[in-house]
Amino acid sequence: MLAVVIHAPGDVRVQEVPEPRIEEPTDALVRVVAAGVCGSDLSVLRGLSPLPRPVRSGHEFVGVVEDVGIGVTTVRPGDFVLAPFSTSDGDCPHCRRGVPIACEKGRLFGEFGPDGSVLDGGQAEFVRVPLADTTLLTVPGTPPEELVPSLLALTDVMSTGHEAALHAGVGPGATVVIVGDGAVGQCAVLACRRLKAERIIIMSRHPRRQQLARAHGATDVVTARGEEGTAEVIDLLGGGSGHVIEAVGTLQAMRQAIGCTRPGGQVGYVGLPWDVTLPLWELFAKNLSLSGGGSNVRAMMPELLDDVLKGTLQPGGVFDADHALTDAPRAFEDMDVRRCIKPILRP
Amino acid sequence: MLAVVIHAPGDVRVQEVPEPRIEEPTDALVRVVAAGVCGSDLSVLRGLSPLPRPVRSGHEFVGVVEDVGIGVTTVRPGDFVLAPFSTSDGDCPHCRRGVPIACEKGRLFGEFGPDGSVLDGGQAEFVRVPLADTTLLTVPGTPPEELVPSLLALTDVMSTGHEAALHAGVGPGATVVIVGDGAVGQCAVLACRRLKAERIIIMSRHPRRQQLARAHGATDVVTARGEEGTAEVIDLLGGGSGHVIEAVGTLQAMRQAIGCTRPGGQVGYVGLPWDVTLPLWELFAKNLSLSGGGSNVRAMMPELLDDVLKGTLQPGGVFDADHALTDAPRAFEDMDVRRCIKPILRP
């Protein structure tokens, strides 16, 4: 079968690989209907993520269950399923506390584990999903084709944007500043509107991304960056905001987020901070709370899925490019140079 | 009159200075009954705090109001008052949101402001208190002498310890780890017990400090530090704690706090982080919340004062040395080399 394989920084290929098979009784085999390309895939491609290679990439995918191991009891062949970017057993102390990203048995798709073994990713025709009953979320019936992008968004960016909003303490009437106009930032706008925030300011320099953010519910756009952008936000709000979302993962973005936060405010950080080293004094001096990390997608998805099925939440618009799986290298490149926000790959 | 003046790193003196006087209509003049020496005074003394000098030090004091400006309406001469370490007007957006430490008109005692002017500290016979109505907290009647240490503790360390516990999300039934056995760490133990935490683990190598922590309600003592200490805590609890308090302010202590926190847990940080630069990845990888900063003493004091007056909260034990004001250099030195936890100075 075909799969996307990252061989080295800058070297992404679509190639024939052995088909996955059921290895454990709790595995499911999923035929991938659609997979996303994530900013963190680009991190792997750029060599920021210190993974061994080659690796079958992709941790955002939806598909149809093809086969299940004998220990799988709730997921059935033919089910349309959403896969969060990490597996979880639903039963360890972390899962029970709502932190399945830290599941004691959990693995990340498309990444090597501490033991050196890899869990192959989902940018492929088929993928093996361990701990299937507690990892996969089944969508009732067969969703219409036009719903697929929104369902795919739930497997990472929409859940991440929602959790970022929770980390930033967003609730009814809140004023929120969002640093980052990529897919997560765009989903954070949707999440803030869904949580009934009153004012949603997105910091974005790109007209198309500004437009999408406004369509998602952003009330204000600040185009300046860095200190100038911070000053503009402070001016716009008559002071900093109590709720700021950092959805980039660079030191500049984090400083911008901190700068936009009022004393005692909350910063939700979900950008992968590969190279962000922060003097703690910058937080201390403003009495800030910083809360975030990788999203607990499996815990976030169910309530978001309800809204997607009802049609009140439509995050699919973050996918502004649609490619055959064989066209993955081009999709990666387009995203890398920001020619698109986020591509879908179709096996 | 006599006041403690820090002239240069390592050079602290008690010397004759001009008496303060009412300068603004909202000022009060307070005759100091007792003043504390704070870890942050040592930071000034060691040259860590980048303040111009000389400076009249001291930001923890209680006393009796001697005189008030014509604009002062609630505080009266003869009142026994507690002074938080910063002044506040009770009316700016930050004060209204419960963050008086960030008051737009606020000043820190014993520190220079952005305009280069200094607010003289309270390690002195008399001290001028700006914004007296909203800064000072009046104690009803004349408190008995034996209550003075506990009242003095409210002006900084007890309020800081309490707020640290709130930042760490401590509540009924919680398991808490406290990194730091100084006055703030000791007060954090009291605060956690008061907030009905079930298990309170203090990390301390000093027998006398361990003893005080146990008297305050600590259920466990871990004597190891660094990675060894972290491993011991993890072993003791069968995993990290969801609530960890950092009350030191060094990189080692912060790493120890992070290491003791379970995925998704909360770290309350109140140690002054002069030189703590942290890779954000360390927080991201564990989905941690980090919340803290300088304490909003004025907002914390009222409910704590009630308990001190009822006798259910007795933080005065953190003062284990009692000196005449004239003996301040010796008190500073004893604290600096950890011969005592925290000294009282009596003008």
Side-chain angles (χ1 to χ4, degrees):
Chain A
M1 69 160 195
L2 291 176
V4 177
V5 180
I6 297 178
H7 285 261
D11 181 4
V12 59
R13 305 179 207 166
V14 182
Q15 68 185 66
E16 277 292 331
V17 296
E19 274 196 25
R21 53 183 183 76
I22 302 288
E23 294 176 16
E24 303 282 338
T26 50
D27 286 352
L29 203 65
V30 172
R31 175 173 57 79
V32 177
V33 168
V37 181
C38 183
S40 58
D41 295 334
L42 300 180
S43 301
V44 178
L45 192 68
R46 290 170 186 161
L48 285 170
S49 177
L51 289 180
R53 296 180 196 81
V55 65
R56 290 192 203 174
S57 70
H59 55 258
E60 305 177 356
F61 57 95
V62 300
V64 176
V65 176
E66 192 81 5
D67 194 9
V68 296
I70 53 166
V72 175
T73 58
T74 59
V75 173
R76 298 199 177 113
D79 283 356
F80 191 97
V81 289
L82 315 182
F85 60 69
S86 66
T87 67
S88 53
D89 70 1
D91 193 43
C92 80
H94 304 311
C95 284
R96 286 175 182 273
R97 286 193 186 100
V99 194
I101 179 100
C103 175
E104 289 177 353
K105 293 188 188 156
R107 298 290 302 264
L108 293 160
F109 286 101
E111 295 212 12
F112 286 80
D115 65 352
S117 72
V118 67
L119 179 62
D120 292 331
Q123 291 164 351
E125 291 182 87
F126 294 92
V127 60
R128 181 178 75 90
V129 177
L131 303 168
D133 277 331
T134 42
T135 295
L136 295 169
L137 182 65
T138 301
V139 179
T142 302
E145 167 54 32
E146 64 267 25
L147 220 54
V148 167
S150 284
L151 293 171
L152 181 57
L154 296 182
T155 66
D156 185 344
V157 287
M158 184 63 225
S159 295
T160 299
H162 174 60
E163 198 163 1
L166 299 182
H167 279 304
V170 175
T175 292
V176 193
V177 177
I178 297 170
V179 180
D181 61 2
V184 173
Q186 299 287 346
C187 286
V189 175
L190 283 173
C192 291
R193 190 181 60 174
R194 183 174 171 278
L195 292 165
K196 306 194 192 309
E198 195 174 296
R199 197 161 180 192
I200 303 169
I201 297 106
I202 188 149
M203 306 190 77
S204 170
R205 295 185 302 170
H206 300 76
R208 269 179 53 227
R209 293 170 185 236
Q210 294 168 11
Q211 202 174 5
L212 183 61
R214 286 206 187 266
H216 281 179
T219 55
D220 301 82
V221 172
V222 169
T223 56
R225 288 172 83 171
E227 283 181 26
E228 198 189 333
T230 302
E232 201 173 308
V233 168
I234 300 279
D235 192 47
L236 186 68
L237 300 179
S241 168
H243 312 281
V244 177
I245 292 171
E246 194 288 320
V248 180
T250 61
L251 183 59
Q252 186 193 29
M254 182 53 77
R255 286 230 157 103
Q256 203 166 303
I258 291 171
C260 291
T261 314
R262 68 161 168 77
Q266 293 174 262
V267 179
Y269 68 100
V270 293
L272 275 170
W274 291 117
D275 199 21
V276 182
T277 294
L278 201 66
L280 197 57
W281 188 257
E282 294 182 22
L283 301 174
F284 189 96
K286 288 180 79 173
N287 285 64
L288 299 193
S289 292
L290 192 67
S291 183
S295 177
N296 292 288
V297 174
R298 188 58 184 82
M300 301 294 130
M301 282 201 303
E303 68 168 284
L304 298 174
L305 173 60
D306 286 349
D307 285 9
V308 167
L309 294 177
K310 275 190 289 184
T312 56
L313 179 65
Q314 299 177 322
V318 297
F319 293 102
D320 58 348
D322 208 310
H323 294 264
L325 183 68
T326 48
D327 201 23
R330 163 101 182 285
F332 272 67
E333 193 196 324
D334 282 359
M335 186 176 177
D336 200 25
V337 300
R338 293 172 75 91
R339 264 197 295 269
C340 68
I341 297 175
K342 192 174 179 70
I344 289 192
L345 302 176
R346 312 268 191 171
Chain B
M1 67 160 195
L2 289 177
V4 176
V5 180
I6 297 178
H7 285 261
D11 181 4
V12 58
R13 306 180 206 164
V14 181
Q15 67 185 63
E16 277 292 334
V17 297
E19 276 197 24
R21 51 182 185 77
I22 300 288
E23 294 176 15
E24 304 283 337
T26 51
D27 287 352
L29 204 64
V30 173
R31 175 173 57 78
V32 177
V33 169
V37 181
C38 183
S40 58
D41 295 334
L42 299 182
S43 301
V44 178
L45 192 67
R46 291 169 187 162
L48 286 170
S49 177
L51 290 179
R53 297 178 195 81
V55 64
R56 290 191 203 176
S57 71
H59 55 258
E60 305 177 356
F61 58 93
V62 299
V64 176
V65 176
E66 191 81 5
D67 194 8
V68 296
I70 51 165
V72 175
T73 58
T74 59
V75 172
R76 297 199 179 113
D79 282 355
F80 191 97
V81 289
L82 315 183
F85 59 69
S86 65
T87 67
S88 53
D89 70 2
D91 193 42
C92 80
H94 305 311
C95 284
R96 285 175 181 273
R97 289 193 184 99
V99 194
I101 179 100
C103 175
E104 290 176 351
K105 293 187 187 156
R107 298 289 303 263
L108 293 160
F109 286 101
E111 295 211 12
F112 286 81
D115 65 351
S117 72
V118 68
L119 179 61
D120 291 330
Q123 291 165 351
E125 291 182 87
F126 294 92
V127 58
R128 180 178 76 90
V129 177
L131 304 168
D133 277 330
T134 43
T135 296
L136 296 169
L137 182 66
T138 302
V139 179
T142 301
E145 167 53 32
E146 63 269 25
L147 221 54
V148 168
S150 284
L151 293 171
L152 180 58
L154 296 181
T155 66
D156 185 344
V157 287
M158 184 62 225
S159 294
T160 299
H162 175 60
E163 197 163 3
L166 299 182
H167 280 303
V170 175
T175 292
V176 195
V177 177
I178 298 170
V179 180
D181 61 2
V184 173
Q186 299 287 348
C187 286
V189 176
L190 283 173
C192 291
R193 191 181 60 174
R194 183 175 172 278
L195 292 165
K196 306 195 192 310
E198 195 174 294
R199 197 161 178 190
I200 304 169
I201 298 107
I202 188 149
M203 303 189 80
S204 170
R205 296 186 302 172
H206 299 75
R208 268 179 53 227
R209 292 169 186 237
Q210 295 168 10
Q211 202 175 5
L212 184 60
R214 286 203 186 268
H216 281 179
T219 55
D220 301 81
V221 172
V222 169
T223 55
R225 288 172 82 171
E227 285 181 24
E228 198 189 334
T230 301
E232 200 172 310
V233 167
I234 301 278
D235 192 48
L236 187 67
L237 300 179
S241 169
H243 312 280
V244 177
I245 292 171
E246 194 288 320
V248 179
T250 61
L251 182 60
Q252 185 193 29
M254 182 53 76
R255 287 229 156 103
Q256 204 167 303
I258 290 170
C260 291
T261 313
R262 68 160 169 79
Q266 293 174 263
V267 179
Y269 67 99
V270 293
L272 274 170
W274 290 116
D275 198 21
V276 182
T277 294
L278 201 65
L280 197 56
W281 188 257
E282 295 184 21
L283 301 174
F284 189 96
K286 289 180 77 172
N287 285 64
L288 299 192
S289 292
L290 192 67
S291 181
S295 179
N296 291 288
V297 174
R298 188 58 183 83
M300 301 294 130
M301 281 200 305
E303 68 169 282
L304 298 174
L305 173 59
D306 286 349
D307 285 9
V308 166
L309 294 177
K310 275 189 288 184
T312 57
L313 178 65
Q314 299 178 321
V318 296
F319 293 102
D320 58 347
D322 209 309
H323 294 263
L325 183 69
T326 48
D327 202 22
R330 165 102 182 284
F332 273 66
E333 193 196 325
D334 283 359
M335 186 176 177
D336 199 25
V337 300
R338 293 172 73 89
R339 263 197 296 268
C340 68
I341 297 175
K342 192 174 179 73
I344 289 190
L345 302 175
R346 313 269 189 170

